Amino acid sequence: DRHYKALYTGDFRFESYERSEVTNEMKSFLENTTDIDILYLDITCLDLLGERKGDKNKFPCKRIILEEIADMVSTLTENSDSSERSNDEDECNSEDRSDSEGFDSEGSGVGGPDSYKNVHVDCLVLGWQEVAKHLAVQFDSSLGICPKDPKKKLHRCIVELLPGDVKIETPHKSFVHISNGADCKYCTDRTIKIKPSLKWLFYDMEGYSYKQSTWIREKDPVEEPGFFNVLYSLHSSHFELQQFMKLLNLSRKAEIYPISRPLGENIEGMSNNEVRSKTKELFKKR
């Protein structure tokens, strides 16, 4: 009997433009992987219907957006004792920072002396803990996890696996804390609330471009001041998926099975079979 070789991606970012050990190892794996019969692929951000143009199919890499989030927090808490951080800039991927202004609190309804005193990060999705830990490391803070949080052990486990060392404490002792949602008893009107997400973007693509100023958006400056959606993606962009498939170089006989549905209003009416057929058709054209 013939044995079939399958590759399952899970949720993944293929940041092919990043100079890192992880990226290099992934590229080497793809270039040396042959005879894949079945590919199970995360297509969450695939532009299945070809509706998005230009740079709307590109996202900033996670490293860059983490730096932008830290810059925002520093700006909004610039007169707080907790806001000291290094201003050293990494020149790698300087194109991600070109022709853009970055986060600007002016006109956003937020900011000013002593406006915000701590940071809340939504961690409803596995992986969002990286945002919280990055901020804790940058601001030399412990990381607050509620002792009554039903996912506290999972949060702690993920935090400990991520690079850097932070002390885990209760939220009221920490500049940065995490929880499973926005309804958090440790938040006040002087808390910056961050939701690392992607879904909001796909239902309002008009305001997005590959510039820093569109990567962070205050949800509602009047009704929910200090609540920010940030473009932090655990899924490969359409551009990254194209690069991934190019390196993988599947045979035309290989089967492709999406493990997710693409985001976007016009996809919602499509059946799973239609999504799979369109995905296979799109990549067979390459």
Side-chain angles (χ1 to χ4, degrees), residues 6-286:
L7 175 62
Y8 184 94
T9 66
D11 294 350
F12 81 114
R13 285 293 302 266
F14 183 57
E15 298 175 329
S16 56
Y17 37 80
E18 276 284 88
R19 296 195 296 267
S20 70
E21 184 177 347
V22 172
T23 300
N24 291 337
E25 287 180 358
M26 188 178 291
K27 285 182 178 178
S28 177
F29 169 78
L30 293 174
E31 290 169 345
N32 292 283
T33 298
T34 58
D35 302 325
I36 295 294
D37 299 296
I38 304 172
L39 173 65
Y40 298 96
L41 182 65
D42 171 17
I43 63 165
T44 302
C45 300
L46 183 66
D47 186 11
L48 193 62
L49 302 179
E51 297 176 306
R52 301 192 293 272
K53 305 300 180 183
D55 61 6
K56 293 186 185 296
N57 275 319
K58 294 182 179 180
F59 305 143
C61 66
K62 290 191 291 182
R63 177 183 61 82
I64 293 295
I65 197 64
L66 288 173
E67 292 174 3
E68 288 300 308
I69 295 169
D71 286 346
M72 176 193 74
V73 171
S74 181
T75 298
L76 298 181
T77 60
E78 59 187 1
N79 292 324
S80 297
D81 292 336
S82 305
S83 64
E84 295 180 4
R85 64 187 294 266
S86 170
N87 287 320
D88 293 339
E89 293 294 338
D90 186 348
E91 294 182 359
C92 177
N93 279 324
S94 60
E95 67 271 17
D96 282 348
R97 293 176 170 271
S98 64
D99 191 29
S100 55
E101 299 176 354
F103 175 77
D104 183 1
S105 64
E106 209 169 306
S108 68
V110 299
D114 299 323
S115 287
Y116 293 99
K117 292 298 186 183
N118 64 345
V119 181
H120 161 104
V121 180
D122 266 356
C123 287
L124 287 168
V125 174
L126 297 183
W128 289 358
Q129 292 86 353
E130 184 174 11
V131 175
K133 184 165 185 177
H134 178 80
L135 290 174
V137 170
Q138 289 295 305
F139 291 92
D140 195 23
S141 164
S142 58
L143 183 56
I145 299 178
C146 178
K148 295 184 179 180
D149 189 327
K151 293 185 178 180
K152 63 180 183 295
K153 291 183 179 180
L154 182 59
H155 291 318
R156 179 185 287 269
C157 180
I158 294 174
V159 167
E160 290 176 349
L161 288 172
L162 292 166
D165 296 317
V166 296
K167 183 179 181 180
I168 304 296
E169 295 204 80
T170 54
H172 72 276
K173 294 182 179 180
S174 304
F175 176 61
V176 182
H177 69 269
I178 64 179
S179 79
N180 290 320
D183 186 18
C184 173
K185 69 177 183 179
Y186 297 99
C187 290
T188 69
D189 58 1
R190 304 182 83 180
T191 299
I192 300 170
K193 305 172 189 70
I194 295 173
K195 185 171 184 177
S197 187
L198 187 68
K199 192 171 182 178
W200 61 273
L201 176 65
F202 282 85
Y203 294 88
D204 186 16
M205 287 295 292
E206 292 302 317
Y208 173 72
S209 69
Y210 198 53
K211 294 182 179 180
Q212 292 162 278
S213 57
T214 67
W215 299 348
I216 298 175
R217 180 178 302 179
E218 190 170 19
K219 187 176 180 180
D220 188 330
V222 176
E223 297 296 327
E224 296 184 79
F227 189 108
F228 294 91
N229 287 311
V230 299
L231 182 57
Y232 177 84
S233 178
L234 298 170
H235 307 279
S236 296
S237 69
H238 179 88
F239 173 78
E240 291 166 355
L241 285 171
Q242 288 179 317
Q243 299 303 304
F244 174 82
M245 294 298 288
K246 184 177 180 179
L247 278 178
L248 184 58
N249 194 27
L250 284 181
S251 74
R252 297 186 67 85
K253 294 181 179 179
E255 295 292 338
I256 302 175
Y257 291 92
I259 61 172
S260 59
R261 290 178 61 87
L263 293 172
E265 293 179 354
N266 294 330
I267 304 294
E268 293 177 356
M270 296 178 65
S271 69
N272 290 338
N273 285 335
E274 288 175 316
V275 169
R276 183 194 168 207
S277 177
K278 276 281 189 183
T279 300
K280 188 172 182 179
E281 178 185 331
L282 181 64
F283 286 123
K284 291 302 181 184
K285 290 179 180 179
R286 71 190 189 283

